[in-house]
Amino acid sequence: MQTEVPAIVTAAQFAQQYRQYLETNGILDSTYRLQKQPGGSVALPVLCNKLSQLHLPNLCDTVAPGSTCTFTQLKNPILSKKSSVKSCHQRLQEELHALVKLSGVLWNDQLSRDLPQVWKRHDDMIVLNENALQADIWKTLEPEVWLVVANALGVKRIAKAGRVSADGFRTPKVTLLLGDDAWVHHIDNGIRYTFDVTKCMFSSGNITEKLRVSSFDCTGEVVVDLYAGIGYFTLPFLMHAGAAFVHACEWNPHAVAALVKNLDLNKVSHRCKIHKGDNQQLPLRNLADRVNLGLIPSSEEGWPIACQLLREDRGGIFHIHHNISLYAENRGAAFDRKNLDEGHCQEQEQSLTAVLPASWTERSKSSSDSTTPAFTCSCTKESILNSRWKGPGNRLKVETNCGSCCEKRIFIHPEWQAWAKSVALRIKNLLEILHQKQWRTNILHIEHVKSYAPHIDHVVLDLECRPCDET
Protein backbone atom coordinates (compact mmCIF):
# COMPACT_ATOMS: atom_id res chain seq x y z
CA MET A 1 0.00 0.00 0.00
CA GLN A 2 1.41 3.35 -1.07
CA THR A 3 1.61 6.17 1.48
CA GLU A 4 1.67 9.86 0.63
CA VAL A 5 2.37 12.85 2.86
CA PRO A 6 2.42 16.57 2.01
CA ALA A 7 5.90 18.11 1.61
CA ILE A 8 7.67 21.28 0.58
CA VAL A 9 10.51 20.85 -1.94
CA THR A 10 13.44 23.28 -2.21
CA ALA A 11 17.09 23.31 -3.28
CA ALA A 12 19.51 21.50 -0.95
CA GLN A 13 21.37 24.70 0.05
CA PHE A 14 18.16 26.14 1.55
CA ALA A 15 16.89 22.97 3.25
CA GLN A 16 18.26 23.68 6.73
CA GLN A 17 16.90 27.24 6.79
CA TYR A 18 13.50 25.90 5.75
CA ARG A 19 13.69 23.16 8.34
CA GLN A 20 14.45 25.56 11.19
CA TYR A 21 11.55 27.82 10.22
CA LEU A 22 9.11 24.93 9.83
CA GLU A 23 10.14 23.38 13.17
CA THR A 24 9.84 26.70 15.00
CA ASN A 25 6.33 27.24 13.67
CA GLY A 26 5.18 23.66 14.34
CA ILE A 27 4.74 22.89 10.63
CA LEU A 28 7.45 20.26 10.07
CA ASP A 29 6.15 16.67 10.33
CA SER A 30 8.83 15.04 12.48
CA THR A 31 7.30 11.61 11.91
CA TYR A 32 9.24 11.41 8.63
CA ARG A 33 12.75 12.13 7.44
CA LEU A 34 13.80 14.88 5.04
CA GLN A 35 14.35 13.11 1.70
CA LYS A 36 16.57 13.88 -1.28
CA GLN A 37 14.74 14.12 -4.59
CA PRO A 38 15.89 13.55 -8.18
CA GLY A 39 17.95 16.53 -9.30
CA GLY A 40 19.37 17.23 -5.81
CA SER A 41 16.40 19.01 -4.24
CA VAL A 42 15.13 18.13 -0.72
CA ALA A 43 11.56 17.34 0.36
CA LEU A 44 10.52 18.47 3.84
CA PRO A 45 7.39 16.65 5.15
CA VAL A 46 4.88 19.09 6.63
CA LEU A 47 1.62 19.05 8.58
CA CYS A 48 -0.88 20.28 6.03
CA ASN A 49 -3.33 21.57 8.62
CA LYS A 50 -0.63 23.86 10.01
CA LEU A 51 0.50 25.23 6.64
CA SER A 52 -1.12 28.41 5.33
CA GLN A 53 -0.80 30.27 2.03
CA LEU A 54 1.32 32.87 3.78
CA HIS A 55 4.08 30.44 4.68
CA LEU A 56 5.30 29.63 1.16
CA PRO A 57 6.04 33.23 0.09
CA ASN A 58 7.52 33.90 3.52
CA LEU A 59 9.95 31.02 3.03
CA CYS A 60 11.10 32.32 -0.33
CA ASP A 61 11.23 36.03 0.48
CA THR A 62 12.25 36.20 4.15
CA VAL A 63 13.59 32.90 5.49
CA ALA A 64 15.82 32.11 2.51
CA PRO A 65 15.83 35.03 0.04
CA GLY A 66 16.43 33.88 -3.53
CA SER A 67 15.08 30.42 -2.91
CA THR A 68 12.14 28.77 -4.60
CA CYS A 69 9.83 26.07 -3.28
CA THR A 70 6.99 23.88 -4.45
CA PHE A 71 4.28 21.91 -2.69
CA THR A 72 4.02 18.18 -3.44
CA GLN A 73 2.84 14.82 -2.16
CA LEU A 74 5.82 12.73 -1.03
CA LYS A 75 5.30 9.06 -1.91
CA ASN A 76 6.38 6.29 0.49
CA PRO A 77 8.03 8.60 3.04
CA ILE A 78 10.70 7.14 5.32
CA LEU A 79 9.99 7.18 9.04
CA SER A 80 12.31 9.30 11.16
CA LYS A 81 14.69 7.49 13.50
CA LYS A 82 12.64 8.59 16.49
CA SER A 83 9.39 7.31 15.00
CA SER A 84 10.85 4.00 13.81
CA VAL A 85 12.08 3.06 17.29
CA LYS A 86 9.25 1.85 19.47
CA SER A 87 9.25 2.79 23.11
CA CYS A 88 9.54 0.10 25.77
CA HIS A 89 5.92 0.74 26.71
CA GLN A 90 4.78 0.25 23.10
CA ARG A 91 6.71 -3.00 22.70
CA LEU A 92 5.44 -4.26 26.06
CA GLN A 93 1.80 -3.54 25.21
CA GLU A 94 2.04 -5.07 21.73
CA GLU A 95 3.70 -8.27 22.92
CA LEU A 96 1.38 -8.73 25.90
CA HIS A 97 -1.58 -7.97 23.64
CA ALA A 98 -0.45 -10.77 21.31
CA LEU A 99 0.00 -13.18 24.23
CA VAL A 100 -3.49 -12.47 25.57
CA LYS A 101 -4.99 -12.87 22.09
CA LEU A 102 -3.37 -16.32 21.73
CA SER A 103 -5.00 -17.36 24.99
CA GLY A 104 -8.42 -16.55 23.52
CA VAL A 105 -9.11 -13.50 25.72
CA LEU A 106 -10.11 -10.12 24.30
CA TRP A 107 -7.87 -7.18 25.17
CA ASN A 108 -9.64 -4.38 27.06
CA ASP A 109 -8.97 -1.02 28.69
CA GLN A 110 -8.59 -2.61 32.11
CA LEU A 111 -5.65 -4.68 30.87
CA SER A 112 -4.09 -1.56 29.33
CA ARG A 113 -4.32 0.23 32.69
CA ASP A 114 -2.79 -2.81 34.39
CA LEU A 115 0.46 -2.52 32.43
CA PRO A 116 3.52 -1.17 34.26
CA GLN A 117 4.19 2.52 33.66
CA VAL A 118 7.42 2.76 35.68
CA TRP A 119 10.00 0.27 36.89
CA LYS A 120 13.50 0.11 38.33
CA ARG A 121 16.37 -1.39 36.39
CA HIS A 122 19.35 -3.02 38.06
CA ASP A 123 21.84 -4.64 35.70
CA ASP A 124 19.83 -7.20 33.65
CA MET A 125 16.85 -7.16 36.03
CA ILE A 126 13.66 -5.12 36.03
CA VAL A 127 11.81 -4.61 39.32
CA LEU A 128 8.15 -3.92 38.62
CA ASN A 129 5.89 -1.80 40.80
CA GLU A 130 3.60 -3.74 43.14
CA ASN A 131 0.50 -2.36 41.36
CA ALA A 132 1.54 -3.62 37.91
CA LEU A 133 0.12 -6.73 36.21
CA GLN A 134 -2.33 -7.63 38.94
CA ALA A 135 -5.19 -8.89 36.75
CA ASP A 136 -6.11 -12.55 37.23
CA ILE A 137 -5.24 -13.41 33.63
CA TRP A 138 -1.51 -12.90 34.20
CA LYS A 139 -1.48 -15.73 36.75
CA THR A 140 -2.92 -18.11 34.17
CA LEU A 141 -0.24 -17.08 31.67
CA GLU A 142 2.78 -17.68 33.93
CA PRO A 143 5.64 -18.24 33.26
CA GLU A 144 5.23 -17.17 29.61
CA VAL A 145 4.09 -13.68 30.60
CA TRP A 146 7.37 -12.97 32.42
CA LEU A 147 9.41 -14.17 29.44
CA VAL A 148 7.41 -11.78 27.24
CA VAL A 149 7.96 -8.87 29.66
CA ALA A 150 11.70 -9.61 29.84
CA ASN A 151 11.99 -9.76 26.05
CA ALA A 152 10.04 -6.50 25.58
CA LEU A 153 12.16 -4.63 28.12
CA GLY A 154 15.48 -6.16 27.08
CA VAL A 155 16.36 -7.94 30.33
CA LYS A 156 16.84 -11.51 31.56
CA ARG A 157 15.31 -11.32 35.05
CA ILE A 158 12.04 -9.95 36.39
CA ALA A 159 11.12 -9.14 40.00
CA LYS A 160 8.12 -7.47 41.57
CA ALA A 161 8.23 -5.13 44.55
CA GLY A 162 5.91 -5.01 47.54
CA ARG A 163 5.80 -2.89 50.65
CA VAL A 164 8.84 -2.65 52.92
CA SER A 165 8.63 -5.04 55.88
CA ALA A 166 8.27 -3.60 59.38
CA ASP A 167 10.88 -6.03 60.71
CA GLY A 168 13.46 -3.55 61.98
CA PHE A 169 15.67 -4.27 58.96
CA ARG A 170 13.38 -2.53 56.41
CA THR A 171 13.55 -5.72 54.33
CA PRO A 172 11.95 -5.20 50.92
CA LYS A 173 9.14 -7.57 49.94
CA VAL A 174 10.46 -8.32 46.47
CA THR A 175 9.51 -11.52 44.63
CA LEU A 176 11.73 -12.94 41.91
CA LEU A 177 9.44 -13.87 39.00
CA LEU A 178 12.00 -14.82 36.35
CA GLY A 179 15.57 -15.92 36.99
CA ASP A 180 17.39 -17.91 39.65
CA ASP A 181 19.66 -15.30 41.23
CA ALA A 182 18.44 -12.10 42.94
CA TRP A 183 21.88 -10.46 43.23
CA VAL A 184 22.30 -7.44 40.97
CA HIS A 185 25.03 -4.94 40.15
CA HIS A 186 24.49 -1.20 40.07
CA ILE A 187 26.86 1.69 39.30
CA ASP A 188 26.03 4.99 40.95
CA ASN A 189 28.29 8.08 40.80
CA GLY A 190 31.24 5.91 39.79
CA ILE A 191 30.69 3.52 42.73
CA ARG A 192 29.92 -0.15 42.20
CA TYR A 193 27.22 -1.76 44.33
CA THR A 194 25.99 -5.34 44.46
CA PHE A 195 23.09 -6.60 46.58
CA ASP A 196 20.22 -9.07 46.75
CA VAL A 197 17.08 -7.19 45.72
CA THR A 198 14.90 -9.52 47.78
CA LYS A 199 16.90 -8.83 50.96
CA CYS A 200 18.23 -5.26 50.67
CA MET A 201 16.90 -1.89 49.61
CA PHE A 202 18.56 0.48 47.15
CA SER A 203 17.19 4.01 47.24
CA SER A 204 17.88 5.82 43.97
CA GLY A 205 16.01 8.83 45.44
CA ASN A 206 19.00 9.56 47.69
CA ILE A 207 21.34 10.26 44.77
CA THR A 208 21.49 14.02 45.44
CA GLU A 209 22.59 13.39 49.04
CA LYS A 210 25.17 10.84 47.90
CA LEU A 211 26.51 13.42 45.45
CA ARG A 212 26.61 16.00 48.23
CA VAL A 213 28.52 13.64 50.51
CA SER A 214 30.92 13.00 47.62
CA SER A 215 31.59 16.76 47.47
CA PHE A 216 32.74 16.93 51.12
CA ASP A 217 36.42 17.31 51.94
CA CYS A 218 36.99 14.67 54.63
CA THR A 219 40.73 14.40 54.11
CA GLY A 220 42.33 12.84 57.18
CA GLU A 221 38.99 12.40 58.96
CA VAL A 222 37.58 9.39 60.78
CA VAL A 223 33.90 8.94 59.90
CA VAL A 224 31.31 6.76 61.59
CA ASP A 225 28.31 5.70 59.52
CA LEU A 226 25.79 4.55 62.14
CA TYR A 227 23.31 3.05 59.65
CA ALA A 228 25.53 1.86 56.81
CA GLY A 229 23.22 -0.50 54.92
CA ILE A 230 24.98 -1.76 51.80
CA GLY A 231 27.25 1.30 51.81
CA TYR A 232 25.06 4.08 50.39
CA PHE A 233 27.06 6.75 52.23
CA THR A 234 30.01 4.72 53.50
CA LEU A 235 31.36 4.32 49.98
CA PRO A 236 30.99 8.00 48.90
CA PHE A 237 32.82 9.01 52.10
CA LEU A 238 35.65 6.62 51.25
CA MET A 239 35.88 6.99 47.49
CA HIS A 240 35.07 10.63 46.77
CA ALA A 241 35.15 12.60 50.03
CA GLY A 242 38.59 11.27 50.94
CA ALA A 243 37.87 10.03 54.49
CA ALA A 244 40.91 8.40 56.05
CA PHE A 245 38.83 5.67 57.71
CA VAL A 246 35.16 4.78 58.10
CA HIS A 247 33.52 2.71 60.82
CA ALA A 248 30.38 1.23 59.24
CA CYS A 249 27.65 0.01 61.62
CA GLU A 250 24.89 -2.30 60.37
CA TRP A 251 22.67 -4.90 62.01
CA ASN A 252 20.95 -6.44 58.98
CA PRO A 253 23.05 -9.53 58.11
CA HIS A 254 22.00 -9.39 54.45
CA ALA A 255 23.11 -5.75 54.19
CA VAL A 256 26.38 -6.63 55.91
CA ALA A 257 27.02 -9.37 53.34
CA ALA A 258 26.44 -6.85 50.53
CA LEU A 259 28.59 -4.20 52.25
CA VAL A 260 31.53 -6.63 52.48
CA LYS A 261 31.25 -7.32 48.74
CA ASN A 262 30.91 -3.61 47.89
CA LEU A 263 33.99 -2.62 49.85
CA ASP A 264 35.94 -5.31 48.00
CA LEU A 265 34.48 -4.33 44.62
CA ASN A 266 35.62 -0.74 45.10
CA LYS A 267 38.99 -1.73 46.66
CA VAL A 268 38.50 0.23 49.90
CA SER A 269 38.14 -2.61 52.42
CA HIS A 270 41.44 -1.66 54.08
CA ARG A 271 40.00 1.74 55.09
CA CYS A 272 36.77 0.49 56.62
CA LYS A 273 35.78 -1.62 59.61
CA ILE A 274 32.31 -3.13 59.72
CA HIS A 275 30.61 -3.31 63.13
CA LYS A 276 27.85 -5.92 62.97
CA GLY A 277 24.85 -5.76 65.26
CA ASP A 278 23.06 -3.07 67.28
CA ASN A 279 24.97 0.21 67.19
CA GLN A 280 23.67 0.98 70.68
CA GLN A 281 26.19 -1.61 71.91
CA LEU A 282 29.07 -0.08 69.96
CA PRO A 283 32.22 -0.08 72.18
CA LEU A 284 33.87 2.86 70.34
CA ARG A 285 34.12 6.39 71.71
CA ASN A 286 36.06 9.64 71.28
CA LEU A 287 37.30 9.01 67.74
CA ALA A 288 34.96 10.49 65.11
CA ASP A 289 35.43 13.74 63.23
CA ARG A 290 32.10 13.16 61.54
CA VAL A 291 29.07 10.95 62.22
CA ASN A 292 26.45 10.10 59.60
CA LEU A 293 22.98 9.27 60.98
CA GLY A 294 21.20 8.13 57.83
CA LEU A 295 18.09 6.54 59.30
CA ILE A 296 14.54 7.65 58.51
CA PRO A 297 11.90 8.46 59.60
CA SER A 298 14.12 9.42 62.56
CA SER A 299 17.68 8.76 63.73
CA GLU A 300 16.96 10.11 67.22
CA GLU A 301 17.76 6.84 68.96
CA GLY A 302 21.31 7.15 67.59
CA TRP A 303 22.01 10.64 68.98
CA PRO A 304 23.44 9.49 72.35
CA ILE A 305 25.85 7.02 70.76
CA ALA A 306 26.81 9.63 68.16
CA CYS A 307 27.74 12.02 70.97
CA GLN A 308 29.83 9.27 72.56
CA LEU A 309 31.67 8.70 69.27
CA LEU A 310 32.51 12.35 68.64
CA ARG A 311 36.02 13.52 69.46
CA GLU A 312 36.05 15.05 72.92
CA ASP A 313 38.94 17.42 72.25
CA ARG A 314 37.61 19.19 69.17
CA GLY A 315 34.17 17.78 68.35
CA GLY A 316 33.04 17.41 64.76
CA ILE A 317 30.00 17.33 62.48
CA PHE A 318 26.78 15.31 62.55
CA HIS A 319 24.72 14.64 59.42
CA ILE A 320 21.27 13.93 60.86
CA HIS A 321 18.54 12.51 58.60
CA HIS A 322 14.88 12.99 59.49
CA ASN A 323 11.41 12.99 57.94
CA ILE A 324 9.52 16.19 58.73
CA SER A 325 5.77 16.50 58.30
CA LEU A 326 4.70 19.97 57.21
CA TYR A 327 1.15 19.83 58.50
CA ALA A 328 -0.09 19.20 62.01
CA GLU A 329 -2.45 16.36 61.12
CA ASN A 330 0.47 14.40 59.64
CA ARG A 331 3.09 15.09 62.25
CA GLY A 332 2.57 12.30 64.73
CA ALA A 333 5.99 11.52 66.13
CA ALA A 334 7.80 14.03 63.92
CA PHE A 335 7.71 17.33 65.77
CA ASP A 336 5.46 20.26 66.60
CA ARG A 337 5.67 23.98 65.88
CA LYS A 338 6.11 24.42 69.64
CA ASN A 339 9.70 23.33 69.04
CA LEU A 340 10.33 26.99 68.30
CA ASP A 341 9.76 27.59 71.97
CA GLU A 342 12.93 27.09 73.99
CA GLY A 343 11.00 25.98 77.06
CA HIS A 344 9.48 23.16 75.09
CA CYS A 345 12.94 22.19 73.83
CA GLN A 346 14.02 21.82 77.46
CA GLU A 347 11.05 19.51 78.07
CA GLN A 348 12.17 17.42 75.10
CA GLU A 349 15.72 17.31 76.48
CA GLN A 350 14.38 15.97 79.78
CA SER A 351 12.35 13.28 78.01
CA LEU A 352 15.37 12.26 75.96
CA THR A 353 17.55 12.11 79.07
CA ALA A 354 15.21 9.41 80.38
CA VAL A 355 16.45 7.01 77.68
CA LEU A 356 20.16 7.81 78.01
CA PRO A 357 22.64 5.19 79.23
CA ALA A 358 22.48 4.92 83.02
CA SER A 359 26.05 6.18 83.41
CA TRP A 360 25.07 9.46 81.77
CA THR A 361 22.06 10.38 83.88
CA GLU A 362 24.07 10.84 87.06
CA ARG A 363 25.90 13.74 85.43
CA SER A 364 22.87 15.57 84.08
CA LYS A 365 22.25 17.95 86.97
CA SER A 366 25.61 19.68 86.76
CA SER A 367 26.19 19.46 83.03
CA SER A 368 24.45 22.55 81.70
CA ASP A 369 25.34 26.18 82.28
CA SER A 370 22.59 28.67 81.44
CA THR A 371 25.19 31.23 80.39
CA THR A 372 26.44 29.01 77.56
CA PRO A 373 25.10 29.99 74.14
CA ALA A 374 22.63 27.26 73.13
CA PHE A 375 23.53 27.16 69.45
CA THR A 376 24.37 29.34 66.49
CA CYS A 377 23.28 29.22 62.89
CA SER A 378 25.64 29.96 60.01
CA CYS A 379 23.02 29.34 57.29
CA THR A 380 23.00 32.46 55.15
CA LYS A 381 20.12 33.90 53.16
CA GLU A 382 22.02 32.89 50.05
CA SER A 383 22.00 29.22 51.04
CA ILE A 384 18.64 28.90 52.81
CA LEU A 385 15.45 30.82 52.07
CA ASN A 386 12.47 31.35 54.40
CA SER A 387 9.91 30.26 51.84
CA ARG A 388 7.46 27.57 50.92
CA TRP A 389 7.86 25.36 47.88
CA LYS A 390 6.86 28.14 45.49
CA GLY A 391 8.72 30.08 42.86
CA PRO A 392 11.98 29.09 41.20
CA GLY A 393 14.11 29.27 44.35
CA ASN A 394 17.88 29.58 44.51
CA ARG A 395 19.97 27.05 42.66
CA LEU A 396 23.00 25.31 44.10
CA LYS A 397 25.42 23.37 41.94
CA VAL A 398 26.99 20.52 43.89
CA GLU A 399 30.25 19.32 42.37
CA THR A 400 31.84 16.09 43.53
CA ASN A 401 35.49 15.16 43.79
CA CYS A 402 34.96 12.65 40.99
CA GLY A 403 33.76 15.21 38.46
CA SER A 404 30.02 14.64 38.83
CA CYS A 405 27.69 17.46 39.69
CA CYS A 406 24.03 18.06 40.39
CA GLU A 407 22.01 21.24 40.42
CA LYS A 408 19.16 21.57 42.87
CA ARG A 409 16.86 24.20 44.26
CA ILE A 410 17.24 25.31 47.84
CA PHE A 411 14.24 26.17 49.97
CA ILE A 412 13.37 25.94 53.62
CA HIS A 413 10.18 25.62 55.59
CA PRO A 414 9.68 27.10 59.07
CA GLU A 415 9.11 23.51 60.21
CA TRP A 416 12.62 22.60 59.08
CA GLN A 417 14.10 25.46 61.07
CA ALA A 418 12.05 24.59 64.14
CA TRP A 419 13.20 21.00 64.03
CA ALA A 420 16.84 21.97 63.46
CA LYS A 421 16.82 24.37 66.41
CA SER A 422 15.31 21.70 68.62
CA VAL A 423 17.94 19.17 67.56
CA ALA A 424 20.78 21.66 68.11
CA LEU A 425 19.61 22.29 71.69
CA ARG A 426 19.13 18.65 72.48
CA ILE A 427 22.49 17.54 71.05
CA LYS A 428 24.20 20.31 73.02
CA ASN A 429 22.58 19.02 76.20
CA LEU A 430 23.58 15.43 75.47
CA LEU A 431 27.21 16.42 74.91
CA GLU A 432 27.33 18.43 78.13
CA ILE A 433 25.82 15.55 80.11
CA LEU A 434 28.41 13.18 78.67
CA HIS A 435 31.52 15.35 78.96
CA GLN A 436 30.70 17.55 81.99
CA LYS A 437 31.71 20.72 80.17
CA GLN A 438 30.21 23.36 77.96
CA TRP A 439 29.58 22.71 74.26
CA ARG A 440 28.21 24.79 71.40
CA THR A 441 26.29 23.61 68.35
CA ASN A 442 26.11 25.37 65.02
CA ILE A 443 23.50 24.72 62.33
CA LEU A 444 25.56 24.67 59.14
CA HIS A 445 22.97 23.60 56.59
CA ILE A 446 19.59 21.92 56.10
CA GLU A 447 19.51 19.77 52.96
CA HIS A 448 16.30 18.65 51.28
CA VAL A 449 16.73 15.11 49.92
CA LYS A 450 13.24 14.27 48.67
CA SER A 451 9.56 14.59 49.50
CA TYR A 452 6.90 12.00 50.14
CA ALA A 453 3.21 12.55 49.50
CA PRO A 454 1.37 14.33 50.83
CA HIS A 455 3.58 16.71 52.85
CA ILE A 456 6.59 14.90 54.31
CA ASP A 457 10.14 16.05 53.62
CA HIS A 458 13.28 13.96 54.04
CA VAL A 459 15.95 16.42 55.19
CA VAL A 460 19.50 16.26 56.49
CA LEU A 461 20.82 18.62 59.16
CA ASP A 462 24.53 19.36 59.10
CA LEU A 463 25.26 20.18 62.74
CA GLU A 464 28.68 21.32 63.93
CA CYS A 465 29.43 20.44 67.56
CA ARG A 466 32.45 21.95 69.34
CA PRO A 467 33.60 22.06 72.99
CA CYS A 468 33.73 25.63 74.26
CA ASP A 469 37.28 25.08 75.54
CA GLU A 470 38.51 23.96 72.12
CA THR A 471 42.03 25.25 71.49
Side-chain angles (χ1 to χ4, degrees):
M1 181 178 176
Q2 193 174 70
T3 303
E4 293 185 352
V5 297
I8 292 175
V9 180
T10 189
Q13 64 264 38
F14 303 116
Q16 288 306 317
Q17 292 167 278
Y18 274 44
R19 177 177 187 163
Q20 185 176 0
Y21 173 82
L22 294 171
E23 278 184 332
T24 301
N25 289 276
I27 303 170
L28 189 72
D29 188 348
S30 59
T31 306
Y32 303 100
R33 297 183 185 180
L34 276 65
Q35 289 181 231
K36 287 186 178 180
Q37 301 296 295
S41 60
V42 175
L44 296 92
V46 294
L47 299 169
C48 200
N49 61 330
K50 298 288 184 70
L51 190 67
S52 74
Q53 293 181 344
L54 297 175
H55 287 121
L56 293 180
N58 195 35
L59 283 167
C60 299
D61 299 337
T62 306
V63 176
S67 67
T68 58
C69 65
T70 57
F71 187 76
T72 189
Q73 292 291 324
L74 182 63
K75 296 180 179 180
N76 296 323
I78 301 172
L79 288 172
S80 65
K81 186 176 180 180
K82 181 178 179 181
S83 298
S84 61
V85 177
K86 293 180 181 178
S87 71
C88 293
H89 294 87
Q90 287 176 314
R91 288 200 305 271
L92 184 60
Q93 176 158 339
E94 288 179 6
E95 294 190 26
L96 287 176
H97 192 171
L99 179 64
V100 169
K101 185 177 180 180
L102 283 174
S103 72
V105 177
L106 292 176
W107 188 267
N108 54 54
D109 290 342
Q110 182 180 357
L111 291 177
S112 293
R113 291 192 296 270
D114 199 35
L115 297 182
Q117 299 302 312
V118 294
W119 51 78
K120 292 182 180 178
R121 181 165 185 151
H122 299 295
D123 200 13
D124 64 348
M125 179 189 289
I126 287 291
V127 181
L128 300 173
N129 187 286
E130 64 178 318
N131 298 320
L133 300 175
Q134 290 187 319
D136 293 338
I137 188 174
W138 308 123
K139 286 286 184 183
T140 67
L141 295 174
E142 290 180 342
E144 289 83 5
V145 63
W146 306 125
L147 291 168
V148 168
V149 171
N151 181 66
L153 301 182
V155 295
K156 296 179 180 179
R157 296 177 290 170
I158 300 290
K160 193 172 185 181
R163 294 189 179 276
V164 177
S165 302
D167 58 0
F169 295 143
R170 289 179 60 79
T171 304
K173 289 184 179 178
V174 176
T175 304
L176 191 62
L177 303 171
L178 179 66
D180 301 318
D181 181 11
W183 281 80
V184 298
H185 291 269
H186 188 94
I187 298 177
D188 194 16
N189 191 23
I191 299 172
R192 298 171 67 190
Y193 297 90
T194 185
F195 58 98
D196 184 336
V197 295
T198 65
K199 304 294 184 183
C200 304
M201 291 183 62
F202 186 89
S203 179
S204 56
N206 291 342
I207 181 61
T208 56
E209 180 61 10
K210 284 182 276 189
L211 286 172
R212 195 176 75 97
V213 167
S214 296
S215 72
F216 294 162
D217 182 2
C218 300
T219 305
E221 291 186 357
V222 173
V223 177
V224 178
D225 190 354
L226 275 183
Y227 307 95
I230 68 171
Y232 310 105
F233 299 111
T234 294
L235 290 165
F237 272 118
L238 287 167
M239 296 188 64
H240 299 320
F245 199 86
V246 174
H247 292 274
C249 309
E250 179 54 46
W251 72 346
N252 182 343
H254 302 293
V256 169
L259 178 57
V260 170
K261 290 176 179 286
N262 292 332
L263 291 169
D264 287 337
L265 274 175
N266 293 283
K267 297 180 172 53
V268 289
S269 297
H270 60 292
R271 291 165 48 214
C272 182
K273 180 175 176 59
I274 300 174
H275 301 271
K276 305 174 186 178
D278 188 354
N279 60 26
Q280 298 297 307
Q281 308 302 320
L282 198 63
L284 304 177
R285 63 182 299 131
N286 189 25
L287 56 75
D289 299 288
R290 197 180 295 258
V291 181
N292 192 62
L293 297 104
L295 180 67
I296 54 173
S298 175
S299 60
E300 185 172 327
E301 66 177 17
W303 298 355
I305 192 67
C307 291
Q308 176 181 304
L309 291 164
L310 205 62
R311 289 188 56 156
E312 185 176 353
D313 59 342
R314 64 186 187 194
I317 296 174
F318 290 160
H319 302 289
I320 303 172
H321 291 239
H322 195 79
N323 281 356
I324 297 178
S325 180
L326 303 183
Y327 291 92
E329 60 269 21
N330 297 326
R331 285 198 181 108
F335 81 102
D336 193 284
R337 272 186 179 275
K338 290 188 294 183
N339 285 337
L340 284 169
D341 181 86
E342 187 169 338
H344 185 66
C345 290
Q346 292 172 351
E347 292 176 15
Q348 291 179 317
E349 292 167 7
Q350 291 171 5
S351 66
L352 185 61
T353 302
V355 298
L356 293 175
S359 60
W360 288 33
T361 57
E362 297 175 0
R363 313 172 188 172
S364 61
K365 292 184 180 180
S366 59
S367 65
S368 183
D369 187 331
S370 61
T371 62
T372 306
F375 65 89
T376 58
C377 179
S378 62
C379 301
T380 64
K381 290 182 179 179
E382 288 71 26
S383 67
I384 294 185
L385 300 176
N386 291 314
S387 66
R388 294 285 179 182
W389 285 98
K390 294 180 181 178
N394 281 0
R395 291 186 179 272
L396 172 69
K397 181 169 286 189
V398 178
E399 297 183 359
T400 72
N401 293 338
C402 61
S404 302
C405 68
C406 68
E407 186 179 80
K408 61 187 301 181
R409 295 175 180 176
I410 310 169
F411 297 83
I412 193 166
H413 290 284
E415 289 87 350
W416 297 3
Q417 291 179 316
W419 169 77
K421 290 177 181 179
S422 172
V423 173
L425 286 169
R426 295 169 70 183
I427 294 292
K428 172 183 178 292
N429 187 58
L430 288 173
L431 288 165
E432 291 181 346
I433 292 173
L434 175 64
H435 297 297
Q436 293 290 280
K437 63 181 180 182
Q438 297 175 8
W439 281 70
R440 66 180 187 275
T441 51
N442 179 23
I443 298 171
L444 298 176
H445 179 68
I446 305 172
E447 178 74 7
H448 177 255
V449 179
K450 58 180 178 286
S451 294
Y452 305 90
H455 302 290
I456 298 175
D457 290 339
H458 174 185
V459 301
V460 182
L461 167 63
D462 296 341
L463 186 68
E464 182 182 31
C465 308
R466 303 293 181 190
C468 292
D469 60 0
E470 178 188 14
T471 55

